[in-house]
Amino acid sequence: VQVSLLVKRLSKNFIVKCSACHNDYANGIIGPSLLGKSSDFIFEQIKKFKNDKNANVLMSDLVSNMDDKEIRALADEIFSFNKEIKEMRNR
């Protein structure tokens, strides 16, 4: 139930750009799990996809129009979500 409440707070950007492959819970379906990844790691990975059009066509297209501020906000959101999930599991 708590996780479902967290998912409802996810941004439209995450839902549109990430959840189809990484699941609403960021644990991966088609794409890899994002759980346990730092904000900086996620930011750098997204930047790689943005800058290397051959890395993954789908990812590159999804992030091609994002600026660094949007990428940072998305990375921070995913990291924050991961942190809350981890804290719930440790209770």
Coordinates of all heavy atoms in Angstrom, one line a residue:
V1 N 0.8 -1.2 0.0 CA 0.0 0.0 0.0 C 0.9 1.3 0.0 O 0.6 2.2 -0.8 CB -1.0 0.0 1.2 CG1 -1.7 1.3 1.3 CG2 -1.9 -1.1 1.1
Q2 N 1.9 1.3 0.8 CA 2.8 2.4 0.9 C 3.5 2.7 -0.4 O 3.6 3.8 -0.9 CB 3.8 2.3 2.0 CG 3.3 2.3 3.4 CD 4.3 2.1 4.4 OE1 5.3 1.4 4.2 NE2 4.2 2.7 5.6
V3 N 3.9 1.6 -1.1 CA 4.6 1.7 -2.4 C 3.6 2.3 -3.4 O 3.9 3.1 -4.2 CB 5.2 0.4 -2.9 CG1 5.7 0.5 -4.3 CG2 6.3 -0.1 -1.9
S4 N 2.4 1.8 -3.4 CA 1.3 2.3 -4.3 C 1.1 3.8 -4.1 O 0.9 4.5 -5.1 CB 0.0 1.6 -4.1 OG 0.1 0.2 -4.4
L5 N 1.2 4.3 -2.9 CA 1.1 5.7 -2.6 C 2.3 6.5 -3.2 O 2.1 7.6 -3.7 CB 0.9 6.0 -1.2 CG -0.4 5.5 -0.5 CD1 -0.3 5.7 1.0 CD2 -1.6 6.2 -1.1
L6 N 3.4 5.9 -3.1 CA 4.6 6.5 -3.7 C 4.5 6.6 -5.2 O 4.8 7.7 -5.8 CB 5.9 5.7 -3.4 CG 6.5 5.8 -2.0 CD1 7.7 4.9 -1.9 CD2 6.9 7.3 -1.8
V7 N 4.0 5.6 -5.8 CA 3.9 5.5 -7.3 C 3.0 6.7 -7.8 O 3.2 7.3 -8.8 CB 3.4 4.1 -7.8 CG1 3.0 4.2 -9.2 CG2 4.5 3.1 -7.5
K8 N 1.9 6.9 -7.0 CA 1.0 8.0 -7.4 C 1.6 9.4 -7.4 O 1.1 10.3 -8.0 CB -0.2 7.9 -6.5 CG -1.1 6.7 -6.7 CD -2.3 6.7 -5.8 CE -3.1 5.4 -6.1 NZ -4.3 5.3 -5.3
R9 N 2.8 9.5 -6.7 CA 3.5 10.8 -6.6 C 4.5 11.0 -7.8 O 5.1 12.0 -7.9 CB 4.1 11.0 -5.3 CG 3.2 11.1 -4.1 CD 3.8 11.5 -2.8 NE 5.3 11.3 -2.7 CZ 5.9 10.6 -1.7 NH1 5.1 10.2 -0.7 NH2 7.2 10.5 -1.7
L10 N 4.7 9.9 -8.6 CA 5.7 10.0 -9.6 C 5.3 11.1 -10.6 O 4.1 11.2 -11.0 CB 5.9 8.6 -10.3 CG 6.5 7.6 -9.4 CD1 6.4 6.2 -10.1 CD2 7.9 7.9 -9.1
S11 N 6.3 11.7 -11.2 CA 6.0 12.8 -12.2 C 5.6 12.2 -13.5 O 5.8 11.0 -13.8 CB 7.3 13.6 -12.4 OG 8.3 12.8 -13.1
K12 N 4.9 13.1 -14.2 CA 4.5 12.7 -15.6 C 5.7 12.3 -16.4 O 5.6 11.4 -17.2 CB 3.7 13.9 -16.2 CG 3.2 13.5 -17.6 CD 2.4 14.7 -18.2 CE 1.9 14.4 -19.5 NZ 1.2 15.5 -20.1
N13 N 6.8 13.0 -16.2 CA 8.0 12.7 -17.0 C 8.5 11.3 -16.7 O 8.9 10.6 -17.7 CB 9.1 13.7 -16.5 CG 10.0 14.2 -17.7 OD1 9.6 14.0 -18.9 ND2 11.0 14.9 -17.4
F14 N 8.5 10.9 -15.5 CA 8.9 9.5 -15.2 C 7.9 8.5 -15.8 O 8.3 7.5 -16.4 CB 8.9 9.2 -13.7 CG 9.3 7.8 -13.3 CD1 10.6 7.4 -13.3 CD2 8.4 6.8 -13.2 CE1 11.0 6.1 -13.0 CE2 8.7 5.5 -12.9 CZ 10.0 5.2 -12.8
I15 N 6.6 8.8 -15.7 CA 5.6 7.8 -16.2 C 5.7 7.7 -17.7 O 5.7 6.6 -18.3 CB 4.2 8.3 -15.8 CG1 4.1 8.1 -14.2 CG2 3.1 7.5 -16.5 CD1 2.9 8.8 -13.6
V16 N 5.9 8.8 -18.4 CA 6.0 8.8 -19.9 C 7.3 8.3 -20.4 O 7.4 7.5 -21.3 CB 5.8 10.3 -20.4 CG1 6.1 10.3 -21.9 CG2 4.4 10.7 -20.2
K17 N 8.4 8.7 -19.7 CA 9.7 8.3 -20.3 C 10.4 7.0 -19.7 O 11.2 6.4 -20.3 CB 10.7 9.5 -20.1 CG 10.3 10.7 -20.9 CD 11.3 11.8 -20.7 CE 10.9 13.1 -21.4 NZ 10.9 13.0 -22.9
C18 N 9.9 6.6 -18.5 CA 10.7 5.6 -17.8 C 9.8 4.3 -17.5 O 10.3 3.2 -17.6 CB 11.2 6.1 -16.5 SG 12.2 7.6 -16.6
S19 N 8.6 4.5 -17.0 CA 7.9 3.4 -16.4 C 7.6 2.3 -17.4 O 7.5 1.1 -17.0 CB 6.6 3.9 -15.8 OG 5.7 4.4 -16.7
A20 N 7.4 2.5 -18.7 CA 7.1 1.4 -19.6 C 8.2 0.3 -19.6 O 7.9 -0.8 -19.7 CB 7.0 2.0 -21.0
C21 N 9.5 0.7 -19.5 CA 10.6 -0.2 -19.5 C 11.1 -0.5 -18.1 O 11.6 -1.6 -17.9 CB 11.7 0.3 -20.4 SG 11.2 0.4 -22.1
H22 N 11.0 0.4 -17.2 CA 11.6 0.3 -15.9 C 10.6 0.0 -14.8 O 11.0 -0.1 -13.7 CB 12.5 1.5 -15.5 CG 13.6 1.7 -16.4 ND1 14.8 1.0 -16.3 CD2 13.8 2.5 -17.5 CE1 15.6 1.4 -17.3 NE2 15.1 2.3 -18.0
N23 N 9.3 0.0 -15.2 CA 8.2 -0.3 -14.3 C 8.0 0.9 -13.4 O 8.8 1.7 -13.2 CB 8.6 -1.5 -13.4 CG 7.5 -2.0 -12.5 OD1 6.7 -1.2 -12.0 ND2 7.4 -3.3 -12.3
D24 N 6.8 1.0 -12.9 CA 6.4 2.1 -12.0 C 7.3 2.1 -10.7 O 7.4 3.1 -10.0 CB 4.9 2.1 -11.6 CG 4.1 2.6 -12.8 OD1 4.6 3.2 -13.7 OD2 2.8 2.4 -12.7
Y25 N 7.8 0.9 -10.4 CA 8.6 0.7 -9.2 C 10.1 0.8 -9.4 O 10.9 0.5 -8.5 CB 8.2 -0.6 -8.5 CG 6.7 -0.7 -8.3 CD1 5.9 -1.4 -9.2 CD2 6.1 -0.1 -7.2 CE1 4.5 -1.5 -9.0 CE2 4.8 -0.2 -7.0 CZ 4.0 -0.9 -7.9 OH 2.6 -0.9 -7.7
A26 N 10.5 1.2 -10.6 CA 11.9 1.3 -11.0 C 12.7 0.0 -10.9 O 13.9 0.1 -10.8 CB 12.5 2.5 -10.2
N27 N 12.0 -1.1 -10.8 CA 12.8 -2.3 -10.6 C 13.0 -3.1 -11.9 O 13.5 -4.2 -11.9 CB 12.1 -3.2 -9.6 CG 10.7 -3.7 -10.0 OD1 10.2 -3.3 -11.1 ND2 10.1 -4.5 -9.3
G28 N 12.7 -2.5 -13.0 CA 13.0 -3.0 -14.3 C 12.0 -4.1 -14.8 O 11.5 -4.9 -14.1
I29 N 11.7 -4.0 -16.1 CA 11.0 -5.0 -16.8 C 11.8 -5.4 -18.1 O 12.4 -6.4 -18.1 CB 9.6 -4.5 -17.2 CG1 8.7 -4.1 -16.0 CG2 8.8 -5.5 -18.1 CD1 7.4 -3.5 -16.3
I30 N 11.8 -4.4 -19.0 CA 12.6 -4.5 -20.2 C 13.9 -3.9 -19.9 O 15.0 -4.5 -20.2 CB 11.9 -3.8 -21.4 CG1 10.6 -4.5 -21.7 CG2 12.8 -3.8 -22.6 CD1 9.7 -3.7 -22.6
G31 N 13.9 -2.7 -19.4 CA 15.1 -2.0 -19.0 C 15.6 -2.5 -17.6 O 14.9 -3.2 -16.9
P32 N 16.9 -2.2 -17.3 CA 17.4 -2.7 -16.0 C 16.8 -2.0 -14.8 O 16.2 -1.0 -14.9 CB 18.9 -2.3 -16.1 CG 18.9 -1.1 -17.0 CD 17.8 -1.4 -18.0
S33 N 16.9 -2.7 -13.7 CA 16.4 -2.1 -12.5 C 17.2 -0.8 -12.1 O 18.4 -0.7 -12.4 CB 16.6 -3.1 -11.3 OG 16.3 -2.5 -10.1
L34 N 16.5 0.2 -11.6 CA 17.1 1.4 -11.2 C 17.2 1.5 -9.7 O 17.7 2.4 -9.1 CB 16.3 2.6 -11.7 CG 16.1 2.7 -13.2 CD1 15.2 3.8 -13.6 CD2 17.4 2.8 -13.9
L35 N 16.7 0.4 -9.0 CA 16.8 0.4 -7.5 C 18.2 0.3 -7.1 O 19.0 -0.4 -7.7 CB 16.0 -0.8 -7.0 CG 14.5 -0.7 -7.2 CD1 13.8 -2.1 -6.8 CD2 13.9 0.4 -6.5
G36 N 18.5 1.1 -6.1 CA 19.9 1.1 -5.5 C 20.9 1.9 -6.3 O 22.1 2.0 -6.0
K37 N 20.4 2.6 -7.3 CA 21.3 3.4 -8.1 C 21.3 4.9 -7.6 O 20.3 5.4 -7.2 CB 20.9 3.5 -9.6 CG 20.8 2.1 -10.2 CD 22.1 1.4 -10.3 CE 22.0 0.1 -11.2 NZ 22.3 -1.1 -10.5
S38 N 22.5 5.5 -7.6 CA 22.6 6.9 -7.1 C 22.0 7.9 -8.2 O 22.0 7.5 -9.3 CB 24.0 7.3 -6.8 OG 24.7 7.4 -8.0
S39 N 21.7 9.0 -7.7 CA 21.2 10.1 -8.6 C 22.3 10.4 -9.6 O 22.0 10.6 -10.8 CB 20.9 11.3 -7.8 OG 20.4 12.3 -8.6
D40 N 23.5 10.5 -9.2 CA 24.6 10.8 -10.2 C 24.8 9.7 -11.2 O 25.0 10.0 -12.4 CB 25.9 11.0 -9.4 CG 26.0 12.3 -8.7 OD1 25.2 13.2 -9.0 OD2 26.8 12.4 -7.7
F41 N 24.7 8.5 -10.8 CA 24.8 7.3 -11.7 C 23.7 7.4 -12.8 O 23.9 7.3 -14.0 CB 24.7 6.0 -11.0 CG 24.7 4.8 -11.9 CD1 25.9 4.3 -12.4 CD2 23.5 4.2 -12.3 CE1 25.9 3.2 -13.3 CE2 23.5 3.1 -13.2 CZ 24.7 2.6 -13.6
I42 N 22.4 7.6 -12.3 CA 21.3 7.7 -13.2 C 21.4 8.9 -14.2 O 21.2 8.7 -15.4 CB 20.0 7.8 -12.4 CG1 19.8 6.5 -11.6 CG2 18.8 8.0 -13.3 CD1 18.7 6.6 -10.5
F43 N 21.8 10.0 -13.6 CA 22.1 11.2 -14.5 C 23.1 10.9 -15.6 O 22.8 11.2 -16.8 CB 22.6 12.4 -13.6 CG 22.9 13.6 -14.4 CD1 21.9 14.5 -14.7 CD2 24.2 13.9 -14.7 CE1 22.2 15.6 -15.4 CE2 24.5 15.0 -15.4 CZ 23.5 15.9 -15.8
E44 N 24.2 10.3 -15.2 CA 25.2 10.0 -16.2 C 24.8 9.0 -17.2 O 25.1 9.1 -18.4 CB 26.5 9.5 -15.5 CG 27.2 10.6 -14.7 CD 27.6 11.8 -15.5 OE1 28.0 11.7 -16.7 OE2 27.5 13.0 -15.0
Q45 N 24.0 8.0 -16.8 CA 23.5 7.0 -17.8 C 22.6 7.7 -18.8 O 22.6 7.4 -20.0 CB 22.8 5.9 -17.0 CG 23.7 5.0 -16.2 CD 24.8 4.4 -17.1 OE1 26.0 4.7 -17.0 NE2 24.4 3.5 -18.0
I46 N 21.7 8.5 -18.3 CA 20.7 9.2 -19.2 C 21.5 10.1 -20.1 O 21.2 10.1 -21.3 CB 19.7 10.0 -18.4 CG1 18.8 9.1 -17.6 CG2 18.8 10.9 -19.3 CD1 17.8 9.8 -16.6
K47 N 22.5 10.8 -19.6 CA 23.3 11.7 -20.5 C 24.0 10.8 -21.6 O 24.1 11.3 -22.7 CB 24.4 12.4 -19.7 CG 23.9 13.5 -18.8 CD 23.5 14.7 -19.5 CE 24.8 15.4 -20.0 NZ 24.6 16.6 -20.6
K48 N 24.5 9.6 -21.3 CA 25.1 8.8 -22.3 C 24.1 8.4 -23.4 O 24.5 8.4 -24.5 CB 25.7 7.5 -21.6 CG 26.9 7.7 -20.8 CD 27.4 6.3 -20.3 CE 28.5 6.5 -19.3 NZ 28.9 5.2 -18.7
F49 N 22.9 8.1 -23.0 CA 21.9 7.8 -24.0 C 21.6 9.0 -24.8 O 21.3 8.8 -26.0 CB 20.6 7.2 -23.3 CG 20.8 5.8 -22.8 CD1 20.7 5.5 -21.5 CD2 21.1 4.8 -23.7 CE1 20.8 4.2 -21.0 CE2 21.3 3.5 -23.2 CZ 21.1 3.2 -21.9
K50 N 21.6 10.1 -24.2 CA 21.3 11.3 -25.0 C 22.4 11.6 -26.0 O 22.1 12.0 -27.1 CB 21.1 12.5 -24.0 CG 20.8 13.8 -24.8 CD 20.6 15.0 -23.8 CE 20.4 16.2 -24.6 NZ 20.2 17.4 -23.8
N51 N 23.6 11.5 -25.6 CA 24.7 11.8 -26.4 C 25.2 10.7 -27.4 O 25.8 11.0 -28.4 CB 25.9 12.2 -25.6 CG 25.6 13.5 -24.7 OD1 24.9 14.3 -25.2 ND2 26.1 13.5 -23.5
D52 N 24.8 9.5 -27.2 CA 25.2 8.4 -28.0 C 24.0 7.8 -28.7 O 23.3 6.9 -28.1 CB 26.0 7.3 -27.3 CG 26.5 6.2 -28.2 OD1 26.2 6.2 -29.4 OD2 27.2 5.3 -27.6
K53 N 23.6 8.3 -29.8 CA 22.4 7.8 -30.5 C 22.4 6.4 -30.9 O 21.4 5.8 -31.1 CB 22.2 8.7 -31.8 CG 22.2 10.2 -31.5 CD 21.0 10.6 -30.6 CE 21.1 12.1 -30.5 NZ 20.5 12.6 -29.3
N54 N 23.5 5.7 -30.9 CA 23.6 4.3 -31.2 C 23.5 3.4 -29.9 O 23.4 2.2 -30.1 CB 24.9 4.0 -31.9 CG 25.0 4.7 -33.2 OD1 24.0 4.7 -34.0 ND2 26.2 5.3 -33.5
A55 N 23.5 4.0 -28.8 CA 23.5 3.2 -27.5 C 22.2 2.4 -27.4 O 22.2 1.2 -27.1 CB 23.7 4.1 -26.3
N56 N 21.1 3.1 -27.6 CA 19.8 2.4 -27.4 C 18.8 3.4 -28.1 O 18.6 4.5 -27.5 CB 19.5 2.2 -26.0 CG 18.1 1.6 -25.8 OD1 17.1 2.1 -26.3 ND2 18.1 0.5 -25.0
V57 N 18.3 3.1 -29.2 CA 17.5 4.0 -30.0 C 16.3 4.5 -29.2 O 16.0 5.6 -29.2 CB 17.0 3.3 -31.3 CG1 16.0 4.2 -32.1 CG2 18.2 2.9 -32.2
L58 N 15.6 3.6 -28.5 CA 14.5 4.0 -27.7 C 14.8 5.0 -26.6 O 14.2 6.1 -26.5 CB 13.8 2.8 -27.1 CG 12.5 3.0 -26.2 CD1 11.5 3.7 -27.0 CD2 12.0 1.8 -25.6
M59 N 15.9 4.7 -25.9 CA 16.3 5.6 -24.8 C 16.8 6.9 -25.4 O 16.4 8.0 -24.9 CB 17.5 5.0 -24.0 CG 17.0 4.1 -22.9 SD 16.2 4.9 -21.5 CE 17.4 6.1 -20.9
S60 N 17.5 6.9 -26.4 CA 18.0 8.1 -27.1 C 16.9 9.0 -27.5 O 16.9 10.2 -27.3 CB 18.9 7.8 -28.3 OG 20.1 7.1 -27.8
D61 N 15.9 8.4 -28.1 CA 14.7 9.2 -28.6 C 13.9 9.8 -27.4 O 13.5 10.9 -27.4 CB 13.7 8.3 -29.4 CG 14.2 8.1 -30.8 OD1 15.2 8.8 -31.2 OD2 13.7 7.2 -31.5
L62 N 13.8 9.0 -26.3 CA 13.1 9.5 -25.1 C 13.7 10.7 -24.5 O 13.1 11.6 -23.9 CB 12.9 8.4 -24.1 CG 11.8 7.3 -24.5 CD1 11.9 6.1 -23.6 CD2 10.4 7.9 -24.5
V63 N 15.0 10.7 -24.5 CA 15.8 11.7 -23.7 C 16.4 12.8 -24.6 O 17.0 13.7 -24.1 CB 16.8 11.1 -22.8 CG1 16.2 10.2 -21.8 CG2 17.9 10.4 -23.5
S64 N 16.3 12.7 -25.9 CA 17.0 13.6 -26.8 C 16.7 15.1 -26.6 O 17.5 15.9 -26.8 CB 16.7 13.2 -28.3 OG 15.4 13.4 -28.6
N65 N 15.5 15.4 -26.2 CA 15.1 16.8 -26.0 C 15.1 17.3 -24.6 O 14.7 18.4 -24.3 CB 13.6 17.0 -26.6 CG 13.6 16.8 -28.1 OD1 14.5 17.2 -28.8 ND2 12.5 16.2 -28.6
M66 N 15.6 16.5 -23.7 CA 15.8 16.9 -22.3 C 17.0 17.7 -22.1 O 18.1 17.3 -22.6 CB 15.8 15.6 -21.4 CG 14.5 14.9 -21.4 SD 14.5 13.4 -20.3 CE 14.5 14.2 -18.7
D67 N 16.9 18.7 -21.3 CA 18.2 19.5 -21.0 C 18.7 18.9 -19.7 O 18.1 18.0 -19.0 CB 17.9 21.0 -20.9 CG 16.9 21.4 -19.8 OD1 16.7 20.7 -18.8 OD2 16.3 22.4 -20.0
D68 N 19.9 19.3 -19.3 CA 20.5 18.8 -18.1 C 19.7 19.0 -16.8 O 19.7 18.1 -15.9 CB 21.9 19.5 -17.8 CG 23.0 18.9 -18.8 OD1 22.6 18.0 -19.6 OD2 24.1 19.4 -18.7
K69 N 19.0 20.1 -16.7 CA 18.1 20.4 -15.6 C 17.0 19.3 -15.5 O 16.7 18.8 -14.4 CB 17.5 21.8 -15.7 CG 16.7 22.2 -14.5 CD 16.3 23.6 -14.6 CE 15.4 24.0 -13.4 NZ 14.9 25.4 -13.5
E70 N 16.4 19.0 -16.6 CA 15.3 18.0 -16.6 C 15.9 16.6 -16.3 O 15.2 15.8 -15.6 CB 14.6 17.9 -18.0 CG 13.8 19.1 -18.3 CD 13.3 19.1 -19.8 OE1 14.1 19.1 -20.7 OE2 12.1 19.1 -19.9
I71 N 17.0 16.3 -16.9 CA 17.7 15.0 -16.6 C 18.0 14.9 -15.1 O 17.8 13.9 -14.5 CB 18.9 14.8 -17.5 CG1 18.5 14.7 -18.9 CG2 19.7 13.6 -17.1 CD1 19.7 14.7 -19.9
R72 N 18.6 16.0 -14.5 CA 18.9 15.9 -13.1 C 17.6 15.7 -12.3 O 17.6 15.0 -11.3 CB 19.6 17.2 -12.7 CG 19.9 17.4 -11.2 CD 20.7 16.2 -10.6 NE 22.0 16.1 -11.1 CZ 22.8 15.1 -10.8 NH1 22.4 14.1 -10.1 NH2 24.0 15.0 -11.3
A73 N 16.6 16.4 -12.6 CA 15.3 16.3 -11.8 C 14.8 14.9 -11.9 O 14.3 14.3 -10.9 CB 14.3 17.3 -12.4
L74 N 14.9 14.3 -13.1 CA 14.4 12.9 -13.2 C 15.3 11.9 -12.4 O 14.8 11.0 -11.7 CB 14.4 12.5 -14.7 CG 13.8 11.2 -15.1 CD1 12.3 11.1 -14.6 CD2 13.8 11.0 -16.6
A75 N 16.6 12.1 -12.5 CA 17.6 11.3 -11.8 C 17.3 11.4 -10.2 O 17.3 10.4 -9.5 CB 19.0 11.6 -12.1
D76 N 17.1 12.7 -9.8 CA 16.8 12.9 -8.4 C 15.5 12.3 -7.9 O 15.4 11.7 -6.8 CB 16.8 14.4 -8.1 CG 18.2 15.0 -8.1 OD1 19.2 14.3 -8.2 OD2 18.3 16.3 -8.2
E77 N 14.5 12.3 -8.8 CA 13.2 11.7 -8.5 C 13.4 10.2 -8.3 O 12.9 9.6 -7.4 CB 12.2 12.0 -9.6 CG 10.9 11.4 -9.3 CD 9.9 11.6 -10.4 OE1 10.2 12.1 -11.5 OE2 8.7 11.3 -10.2
I78 N 14.1 9.6 -9.2 CA 14.3 8.1 -9.2 C 15.1 7.8 -7.9 O 14.7 6.8 -7.2 CB 15.0 7.6 -10.5 CG1 14.0 7.8 -11.7 CG2 15.4 6.1 -10.3 CD1 14.7 7.7 -13.0
F79 N 16.1 8.5 -7.6 CA 16.9 8.2 -6.4 C 16.1 8.4 -5.2 O 16.2 7.6 -4.3 CB 18.1 9.2 -6.4 CG 18.9 9.0 -5.1 CD1 19.7 7.9 -4.9 CD2 18.9 10.0 -4.2 CE1 20.4 7.8 -3.7 CE2 19.6 9.9 -3.0 CZ 20.4 8.7 -2.8
S80 N 15.3 9.4 -5.1 CA 14.4 9.7 -3.9 C 13.4 8.6 -3.8 O 13.2 8.1 -2.6 CB 13.7 11.0 -4.1 OG 12.9 11.3 -3.0
F81 N 12.9 8.1 -4.9 CA 11.9 7.0 -4.8 C 12.6 5.8 -4.3 O 12.1 5.1 -3.4 CB 11.4 6.8 -6.2 CG 10.4 5.6 -6.3 CD1 9.1 5.8 -6.0 CD2 10.8 4.4 -6.8 CE1 8.2 4.8 -6.1 CE2 9.9 3.3 -6.9 CZ 8.6 3.5 -6.5
N82 N 13.8 5.5 -4.8 CA 14.6 4.3 -4.4 C 14.9 4.4 -2.9 O 14.8 3.4 -2.2 CB 15.9 4.3 -5.1 CG 15.8 3.9 -6.6 OD1 14.8 3.4 -7.0 ND2 16.8 4.2 -7.3
K83 N 15.2 5.6 -2.4 CA 15.5 5.7 -1.0 C 14.3 5.5 -0.1 O 14.4 4.8 0.9 CB 16.0 7.2 -0.8 CG 16.5 7.5 0.6 CD 17.1 8.9 0.7 CE 17.4 9.2 2.1 NZ 17.8 10.6 2.3
E84 N 13.2 5.9 -0.5 CA 11.9 5.7 0.2 C 11.6 4.2 0.2 O 11.2 3.7 1.3 CB 10.8 6.5 -0.3 CG 10.9 8.0 0.0 CD 9.7 8.8 -0.4 OE1 8.6 8.6 0.1 OE2 9.9 9.7 -1.3
I85 N 11.8 3.5 -0.9 CA 11.5 2.1 -1.0 C 12.4 1.3 0.0 O 12.0 0.5 0.7 CB 11.7 1.6 -2.4 CG1 10.6 2.2 -3.4 CG2 11.7 0.0 -2.5 CD1 9.2 1.7 -3.1
K86 N 13.7 1.7 0.0 CA 14.7 1.0 0.8 C 14.3 1.2 2.3 O 14.4 0.3 3.1 CB 16.1 1.6 0.6 CG 17.2 0.9 1.3 CD 18.5 1.4 0.9 CE 19.6 0.7 1.7 NZ 20.9 1.1 1.3
E87 N 13.9 2.5 2.7 CA 13.5 2.8 4.1 C 12.3 2.0 4.5 O 12.2 1.4 5.6 CB 13.3 4.3 4.2 CG 14.6 5.1 4.2 CD 14.3 6.6 4.1 OE1 13.1 7.0 4.1 OE2 15.3 7.3 4.1
M88 N 11.4 1.8 3.6 CA 10.2 1.0 3.9 C 10.5 -0.5 4.1 O 10.0 -1.1 5.0 CB 9.2 1.0 2.7 CG 8.4 2.3 2.6 SD 7.2 2.1 1.2 CE 7.0 3.8 0.9
R89 N 11.4 -1.0 3.3 CA 11.9 -2.4 3.5 C 12.6 -2.6 4.8 O 12.6 -3.7 5.3 CB 12.7 -2.8 2.3 CG 12.0 -2.9 1.0 CD 12.8 -3.4 -0.1 NE 12.0 -3.6 -1.3 CZ 12.5 -3.7 -2.5 NH1 13.8 -3.6 -2.7 NH2 11.8 -3.9 -3.6
N90 N 13.3 -1.6 5.3 CA 14.1 -1.7 6.5 C 13.2 -1.6 7.8 O 13.8 -1.7 8.9 CB 15.2 -0.8 6.5 CG 16.3 -1.1 5.5 OD1 16.4 -2.3 5.1 ND2 17.0 -0.1 5.0
R91 N 12.0 -1.2 7.7 CA 11.2 -1.0 8.9 C 10.7 -2.3 9.4 O 10.5 -3.3 8.9 CB 9.9 -0.2 8.5 CG 10.3 1.2 8.2 CD 9.0 2.0 8.0 NE 9.4 3.3 7.4 CZ 8.7 4.0 6.6 NH1 7.5 3.7 6.3 NH2 9.1 5.1 6.1

